[in-house]
Amino acid sequence: MNEIIKIHGNKKLNGEVTVSSCKNSAVAILPSVVLASEIVKLYDVPEIEDVKVLVKLLGLLNIDVRANGDELTIDPTEICNVDLLDDDVMRLRASYYFMGALLGRFKHVKMYSPGGCNLGPRPIDLHLKGFEALGATIKQDGNIIEIDAEELKGTDIYLDFASVGATINIMLASCFAQGRTTIENAAKEPEIIDLSSMLNKMGAHIRGAGTSEITIDGVFRLKGCIHDIIPDRIEAGTYIIAAAAIGEDVTIKNVIPQHIEALTSKLEEMGVKLMQGPDYIRVLESENLKAVDIITQPFPGFATDLQQPLTSLMTKAIGTSHIEETIYAERFKHCHELNQMGANIQYKTGSSTIHGGTPLHGTDIFATDLRCGAALVIAGLMADGETNIHNAYHIYRGYDSIVSKLQALGADIE
Ligand code: EPZ
């Protein structure tokens, strides 16, 4: 269904916005409940489409999920390991965490391959290599993956690329393996630390999350636990960029500043006036912004998820900005849409060049993926006139209540 977000732009933003909990943490934590033998209680679960889909998939496994606002009580005691051959598996990428969790718990999983944002090829070879290293055998028949293991034995696994998904999936698959698993060149994203701290509360023995070497010592079972999901650093970054673009005095709350240092230091380099508290960032009206260059990197480098929103801000900077995208070489579908609004962006596989100083005007534009959608919302807030963003469902996958949060800041959006 084509949902449209309509914005009458060029209205200054003021006030406070509170960031929700982290999508990319929640979408790993929910499938990991498969490993638990007792009830898990989650607080601050973001109310986004991806969470709703994962809750449905947990239900297919006979896991009872009760929601009370943003609290989820999940009871995995009656779990049964049915094949996950439901089309919803293909609606998001994170469904692939059920591979690691079901393999880890039952030594068998059969399910569809994952879906998710169209950012170019998104193989899962590193995930499968990790499972095979632990002793699993993999059968792929078209879009169906079947993974089996007589037993799972801890081993040393080196990741050719510090993949977030592969790091998490191997952590899940090795929780009950015999002995120690070491992941070398592991991803260091905060979401990995969040998941590891929850699994350790449940009785896992995981060390080194947040560094490039993670060890997992296999245990026999995992208890339940209570867990409060960390704030969403990408949502925070998105609102900080919006405030830099069209804000007068905006405070973004529920932020862990250390999680977005690469962004805030780049914004200061552009001349954005930022004040940083222990759990908030305050942005004051900033004019005459300077063009900057960024290269996307795994954490703690500049997040690939924020290069698209930052592109919208760069259109008003004075000078020419360059973006080198080392994670997803095709992550530039937002550029065409921004050029329809008056931007002057050249782009090709792996990089974009933004010639700034181009005022934006509203028009009909199309979201193609989650963070492209975020970039278009920021552009709509900046633009003169009316902007209609089509296929807005991409945006609702990862931004809890984005329309009402922006309305509260004074945006004319619906
Ligand atoms: C996670 O995706 C996030 N998604 C992405 O956020 C984020 O952009 C990405 O990490 C990088 O930070 C979730 O957490 C659900 P990767 P993931 O494995 O795990 C290649 C958003 O907007 N690769 O670190 O898929 C891959 O093709 C989403 O919230 C392999 O080649 O990222 C890509 O080029 C978008 N083989 C690069 O590594 C593999 O087996 C990064 O992938 C796995 C990955």
Side-chain angles (χ1 to χ4, degrees):
M1 178 180 64
N2 178 12
E3 295 178 47
I4 295 175
I5 289 181
K6 186 189 294 290
I7 303 174
H8 291 99
N10 207 4
K11 291 187 172 53
K12 294 290 185 190
L13 303 181
N14 278 285
E16 294 183 351
V17 60
T18 299
V19 169
S20 299
S21 291
C22 181
K23 165 180 90 79
N24 290 345
S25 189
V27 299
I29 281 173
L30 285 168
S32 72
V33 175
V34 159
L35 297 170
S37 304
E38 296 165 9
I39 285 177
V40 172
K41 204 167 168 58
L42 298 176
Y43 290 118
D44 285 336
V45 182
E47 291 174 55
I48 52 178
E49 285 312 303
D50 278 11
V51 164
K52 290 179 189 137
V53 174
L54 291 172
V55 166
K56 181 191 164 190
L57 297 178
L58 287 170
L60 297 180
L61 296 169
N62 201 38
I63 293 176
D64 182 63
V65 183
R66 293 179 198 272
N68 172 15
D70 62 4
E71 287 176 24
L72 288 188
T73 301
I74 308 172
D75 180 353
T77 50
E78 306 293 325
I79 185 172
C80 55
N81 183 17
V82 299
D83 297 346
L84 287 177
L85 301 175
D86 182 291
D87 287 353
D88 277 340
V89 170
M90 293 178 279
R91 282 177 58 188
L92 76 162
R93 184 148 182 81
S95 47
Y96 61 19
Y97 293 134
F98 283 106
M99 285 180 202
L102 290 167
L103 175 66
R105 173 99 189 251
F106 298 107
K107 300 188 181 53
H108 168 77
V109 52
K110 183 173 182 181
M111 62 182 283
Y112 280 142
S113 299
C117 286
N118 174 12
L119 305 175
R122 298 182 75 183
I124 58 169
D125 54 309
L126 299 177
H127 301 236
L128 302 180
K129 222 169 92 176
F131 297 151
E132 286 172 330
L134 290 167
T137 53
I138 294 158
K139 280 199 303 260
Q140 287 186 271
D141 172 14
N143 196 28
I144 296 175
I145 288 188
E146 193 164 358
I147 311 172
D148 287 285
E150 284 301 306
E151 58 180 2
L152 293 169
K153 286 185 72 174
T155 182
D156 292 348
I157 297 169
Y158 176 82
L159 290 180
D160 302 342
F161 174 82
S163 155
V164 174
T167 300
I168 289 174
N169 244 338
I170 293 164
M171 270 168 65
L172 298 177
S174 57
C175 272
F176 300 131
Q178 292 165 31
R180 168 166 290 190
T181 298
T182 301
I183 306 173
E184 304 280 355
N185 193 29
K188 300 186 270 192
E189 271 69 5
E191 294 79 59
I192 291 165
I193 300 172
D194 197 27
L195 174 66
S196 163
S197 65
M198 186 188 88
L199 292 171
N200 284 340
K201 272 193 262 184
M202 293 157 67
H205 283 193
I206 302 172
R207 295 291 176 272
T211 75
S212 55
E213 178 169 308
I214 299 177
T215 59
I216 305 101
D217 292 324
V219 296
F220 291 107
R221 69 192 287 277
L222 293 184
K223 312 189 300 286
C225 77
I226 293 175
H227 188 70
D228 194 343
I229 297 173
I230 57 170
D232 193 316
R233 60 192 171 95
I234 305 301
E235 184 191 8
T238 304
Y239 285 105
I240 291 167
I241 293 169
I246 190 73
E248 242 164 9
D249 185 348
V250 178
T251 299
I252 295 92
K253 299 170 73 176
N254 193 32
V255 171
I256 300 176
Q258 293 76 7
H259 289 176
I260 45 170
E261 270 171 4
L263 173 70
T264 49
S265 62
K266 268 299 158 185
L267 291 175
E268 283 169 341
E269 198 182 316
M270 292 179 78
V272 175
K273 298 190 189 74
L274 292 176
M275 284 182 275
Q276 187 169 299
D279 61 354
Y280 68 85
I281 303 273
R282 185 173 170 199
V283 183
L284 297 177
E285 184 159 13
S286 314
E287 291 306 330
N288 305 320
L289 298 180
K290 291 198 311 297
V292 288
D293 296 346
I294 60 163
I295 300 177
T296 64
Q297 301 283 1
F299 192 86
F302 192 94
T304 171
D305 294 350
L306 288 173
Q307 65 94 342
Q308 292 167 288
L310 188 67
T311 302
S312 300
L313 178 64
M314 286 169 158
T315 66
K316 74 178 282 188
I318 298 157
T320 298
S321 301
H322 299 92
I323 293 178
E324 192 183 332
E325 170 58 82
T326 69
I327 312 280
Y328 294 111
E330 305 304 332
R331 199 171 194 170
F332 294 103
K333 293 184 175 61
H334 55 299
C335 297
H336 170 75
E337 305 302 317
L338 294 176
N339 284 341
Q340 304 289 94
M341 300 175 76
N344 179 3
I345 306 170
Q346 290 147 331
Y347 56 101
K348 59 184 173 30
T349 298
S351 68
S352 65
T353 300
I354 300 100
H355 302 284
T358 57
L360 302 180
H361 55 79
T363 184
D364 282 89
I365 47 181
F366 293 81
T368 54
D369 57 77
L370 168 57
R371 308 302 175 184
C372 164
L376 300 186
V377 168
I378 293 170
L381 294 170
M382 295 164 66
D384 285 318
E386 180 178 294
T387 298
N388 290 304
I389 302 170
H390 297 257
N391 301 332
Y393 62 87
H394 286 290
I395 301 166
Y396 300 138
R397 283 189 52 207
Y399 288 94
D400 186 350
S401 318
I402 185 167
V403 171
S404 50
K405 285 182 178 179
L406 287 171
Q407 284 169 343
L409 289 175
D412 181 346
I413 180 173
E414 57 185 355

